[in-house]
Amino acid sequence: MTPSDVAKMFCVDPKTVTRWANDGKLASIRTPGNVRRFSRQQVEYLMYGGDARIGK
């Protein structure tokens, strides 16, 4: 999922999603083009009250 996709789910700005990733609150991967992507499963887990922090 893109930062915009995640932002729509949480009703926040995409920059907020990027900040969450930078702060380690939401894990992401980088594509070869250096674009950030998020796992739908992890985003939904976080959305429903889980802990999606990196390494948790």
Side-chain angles (χ1 to χ4, degrees), residues 4-56:
S4 293
D5 295 333
V6 177
K8 287 177 189 174
M9 291 179 74
F10 285 94
C11 299
V12 297
D13 190 270
K15 290 182 181 182
T16 300
V17 176
T18 299
R19 190 173 358 169
W20 290 345
N22 290 340
D23 291 346
K25 295 177 181 176
L26 184 60
S28 66
I29 61 166
R30 295 283 188 150
T31 67
N34 203 32
V35 178
R36 193 181 299 269
R37 294 288 185 252
F38 299 92
S39 159
R40 177 176 297 279
Q41 182 180 9
Q42 187 179 46
V43 170
E44 288 176 352
Y45 183 73
L46 178 63
M47 188 173 197
Y48 296 108
D51 187 352
R53 287 180 288 178
I54 297 169
K56 296 289 179 180

